[in-house]
Amino acid sequence: MAQARTKALGRKEPRESALANGVSPARAESRAWGRFALFSECLLTGVWIAIASLGVVTCPAAFAAGCRHLRRGTAHEAGGLREFAADFRAALRGGWLAGLVGWVLAAMVWVDVQAAGAGLPGGPLVGSVGLAALIGLAVTGMRAAATWTPGAGWRALLTDAGRRTVRDPAGSFLLVAGLAVVALSGWFVAPLAVPVLGAVAAAALAVETRYRHHR
């Protein structure tokens, strides 16, 4: 009985624990709710990005609009579907061409990878290089979209993003891991890949923020 009472006295409720750490219960609950709200917003943004990407060449513009929406959320600025749609239209002005060029390059690399796997001499090496180029192209596109702002030129964004992709291998690897999560989610349960896109957008923002702070 005494041992049970000792355990009961030693166990603190969440409010008591927060007070003991110098954090008010209201503030602790606010932080927890804020994290959950951000996670929910990421999943919703992933759905928006997926719908806006149905045009195929609209993928860069959709991802850019999603990143900008999440950037507003982390800065505690108001924004919703209307603002996302406005950003998407603005990013689409030059983004559709970037999307078209990106898909053409991706198709060319994919054909090379398939040809390399057909038993040609040096095929495995050529295939590996082609696959690395394909992944690098995707990472460059995501890093460019994460820094997009209305009025920014996509050519300059992609050029700068290409440099960051090479100079910041740790951040680029994180985005590769995000792409792998999307692929695996789609492999096991296809609908899961849609909301996960929002988490990848949040990862792209985090990677770019980290790069700016560590330059």
Side-chain angles (χ1 to χ4, degrees):
M1 187 71 176
Q3 186 177 2
R5 182 179 298 176
T6 302
K7 289 183 179 179
L9 291 174
R11 186 173 59 247
K12 295 181 178 179
E13 295 295 327
R15 288 177 173 270
E16 295 176 358
S17 178
L19 288 172
N21 293 328
V23 180
S24 65
R27 188 172 181 181
E29 291 175 3
S30 177
R31 286 180 179 177
W33 175 252
R35 290 169 185 158
F36 177 76
L38 179 59
F39 176 71
S40 302
E41 198 66 29
C42 286
L43 299 183
L44 177 61
T45 303
V47 175
W48 292 351
I49 292 174
I51 293 174
S53 297
L54 291 177
V56 183
V57 296
T58 60
C59 289
F63 198 82
C67 289
R68 184 164 168 78
H69 172 72
L70 292 177
R71 194 184 303 125
R72 277 196 299 266
T74 55
H76 304 289
E77 298 176 3
L81 181 58
R82 181 176 299 178
E83 287 76 13
F84 173 87
D87 286 335
F88 174 66
R89 288 193 297 269
L92 194 58
R93 293 189 186 104
W96 72 269
L97 183 57
L100 177 62
V101 172
W103 280 112
V104 169
L105 291 176
M108 292 173 59
V109 172
W110 183 251
V111 169
D112 288 341
V113 171
Q114 294 299 311
L120 297 176
L125 178 60
V126 175
S128 299
V129 172
L131 185 59
L134 190 62
I135 294 174
L137 181 66
V139 171
T140 298
M142 288 192 294
R143 298 193 76 144
T147 57
W148 175 86
T149 54
W154 278 94
R155 179 179 295 181
L157 288 174
L158 288 167
T159 301
D160 293 339
R163 296 193 190 99
R164 294 194 302 274
T165 299
V166 176
R167 295 175 181 174
D168 181 27
S172 298
F173 178 77
L174 178 61
L175 293 181
V176 172
L179 289 175
V181 170
V182 173
L184 289 174
S185 299
W187 179 265
F188 289 109
V189 183
L192 283 180
V194 173
V196 171
L197 284 173
V200 176
L205 285 177
V207 165
E208 290 301 317
T209 302
R210 171 186 170 276
Y211 180 80
R212 287 197 304 270
H213 290 168
H214 290 80
R215 273 194 304 186

